């Protein structure tokens, strides 16, 4: 797919690719996640593969990994002013041997771009299509299929938005790009109307996070999550080092053991 924007970063960092035909051992249309029986069957398979004790744990961890699609879409929007076609009907999940780390194939390879002087209006539409059109319906479907709480899933999304936008601002190669990323960040977390997220009230991304110094004294500060993702409940699982359940001693030990 020839483009004048960075598609390689989508595949390398966010597992997103474009294709007319799909050749992978495991293939599943993301639209099936909106149908309760199909979703339950798929999540049961995912749960067996990752060693999950129940559907709530499976839904939480699957959604957390699905959010690479959201993050990649926001990267394209804020870095390249490109809007991807991310309706669940256009997204196909693929895997090699299991669904533990799904990849995403977009069938419709067309993208949107803002017209001169209308980036704010274009951005609102891109964000609305992503959240009200894809993320919120998926959250509602996972909640209906498994009884996982919506606030847990929204917390996963919020964490990544704050985590990545701070990193992207720090890494921006020009003052103009830095301003654009900062403006998008403010819109997502402060200015966007609830309807953009498919909600009647509230702003699910307007969250503050506790930041703690890296225990090595050299690494970046650690952003602590508000909600546990339940990874510790997997067979042989443990809490993420960003988990709110860890005390300071446990967190430091885990960070240093992982070499982060």
């Amino acid at each position: 797919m020839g483009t004048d924007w960075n598609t390689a970063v989508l595949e390398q960092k966010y597992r997103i690719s474009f294709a007319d035909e799909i050749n992978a051992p495991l293939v599943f249309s993301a639209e099936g996640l909106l149908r309760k029986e199909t979703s339950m069957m798929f999540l049961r398979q995912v749960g067996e593969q990752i060693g999950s004790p129940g559907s709530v744990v499976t839904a939480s961890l699957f959604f957390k990994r699905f959010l690479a699609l959201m993050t990649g879409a926001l990267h394209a929007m804020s870095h390249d002013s490109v809007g991807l076609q991310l309706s669940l009907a256009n997204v196909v999940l693929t895997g090699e041997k299991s669904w533990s780390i799904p990849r995403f194939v977009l069938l419709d390879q067309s993208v949107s771009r803002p017209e001169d002087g209308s980036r704010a209006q274009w951005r609102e539409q891109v964000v609305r299509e992503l959240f009200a059109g894809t993320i919120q319906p998926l959250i509602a479907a996972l909640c209906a299929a498994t009884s996982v709480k919506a606030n847990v899933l929204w917390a996963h999304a919020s964490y990544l938005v704050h985590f990545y936008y701070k990193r992207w601002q720090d890494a921006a190669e020009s003052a103009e790009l830095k301003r654009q990323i900062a403006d998008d960040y403010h819109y997502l977390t402060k200015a966007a109307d609830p309807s953009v997220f498919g909600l009647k009230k509230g702003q699910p991304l307007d969250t503050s996070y506790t930041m703690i110094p890296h225990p090595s004294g050299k690494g970046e500060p650690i952003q602590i999550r508000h909600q546990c993702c339940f990874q510790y409940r997997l067979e042989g699982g443990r809490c993420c080092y960003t988990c709110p359940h860890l005390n300071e001693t446990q967190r430091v030990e885990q960070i240093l053991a992982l070499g982060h």
Side-chain angles (χ1 to χ4, degrees):
M1 178 183 177
T3 68
D4 58 351
W5 57 283
N6 190 356
T7 58
V9 69
L10 294 185
E11 186 160 10
Q12 292 165 4
K13 292 189 176 181
Y14 309 110
R15 310 191 302 278
I16 301 171
S17 60
F18 303 84
D20 296 318
E21 297 181 1
I22 300 172
N23 295 305
L26 299 176
V27 178
F28 181 80
S29 172
E31 192 174 25
L33 294 167
L34 299 178
R35 297 187 292 273
K36 187 173 182 179
E37 290 187 3
T38 306
S39 179
M40 290 174 66
M41 290 176 60
F42 176 76
L43 291 172
R44 193 175 302 117
Q45 184 179 19
V46 173
E48 291 171 355
Q49 292 173 351
I50 66 175
S52 171
S55 61
V56 169
V57 174
T58 304
S60 173
L61 291 172
F62 168 74
F63 184 72
K64 185 179 176 183
R65 296 165 189 180
F66 182 92
L67 286 173
L69 184 70
M70 174 200 77
T71 310
L74 293 176
H75 186 282
M77 179 187 81
S78 292
H79 286 80
D80 298 302
S81 289
V82 164
L84 304 180
Q85 302 299 322
L86 291 183
S87 70
L88 291 174
N90 191 47
V91 178
V92 177
L93 307 181
T94 68
E96 290 301 317
K97 296 181 180 180
S98 77
W99 293 113
S100 58
I101 304 292
R103 302 187 68 84
F104 312 96
V105 178
L106 306 187
L107 301 175
D108 182 352
Q109 302 176 30
S110 62
V111 299
S112 67
R113 292 179 181 269
E115 297 181 0
D116 290 343
S118 63
R119 190 177 188 280
Q121 294 91 332
W122 168 84
R123 177 183 60 195
E124 178 179 334
Q125 185 60 33
V126 170
V127 173
R128 186 181 297 276
E129 290 175 359
L130 172 59
F131 286 98
T134 298
I135 298 299
Q136 169 56 16
L138 179 56
I139 288 176
L142 292 175
C143 291
T146 70
S147 298
V148 68
K149 301 298 184 184
N151 67 306
V152 171
L153 303 185
W154 273 115
H156 295 344
S158 178
Y159 182 91
L160 290 177
V161 167
H162 287 267
F163 177 84
Y164 277 103
Y165 269 90
K166 290 172 185 174
R167 286 201 165 191
W168 293 342
Q169 287 181 77
D170 291 342
E173 296 180 353
S174 70
E176 181 181 0
L177 179 58
K178 189 181 186 74
R179 283 194 298 271
Q180 178 168 289
I181 293 170
D183 189 47
D184 288 353
Y185 183 35
H186 176 78
Y187 175 74
L188 284 163
T189 60
K190 299 293 183 183
D193 187 82
S195 65
V196 168
F197 301 100
L199 304 173
K200 294 182 178 179
K201 61 180 181 179
Q203 222 288 13
L205 307 184
D206 185 5
T207 311
S208 342
Y209 288 90
T210 298
M211 305 294 292
I212 64 170
H214 195 283
S216 71
K218 299 178 181 178
E220 295 183 3
I222 308 297
Q223 178 176 303
I224 307 303
R225 294 179 179 272
H226 282 286
Q227 293 284 347
C228 175
C229 68
F230 311 131
Q231 180 171 280
Y232 75 96
R233 295 187 59 191
L234 298 181
E235 294 175 10
R238 60 192 299 179
C239 289
C240 307
Y241 63 82
T242 56
C243 184
H245 288 175
L246 294 179
N247 62 38
E248 184 177 357
T249 300
Q250 292 170 324
R251 194 182 317 281
V252 169
E253 289 177 350
Q254 190 161 327
I255 293 171
L256 294 179
L258 291 170
H260 290 301

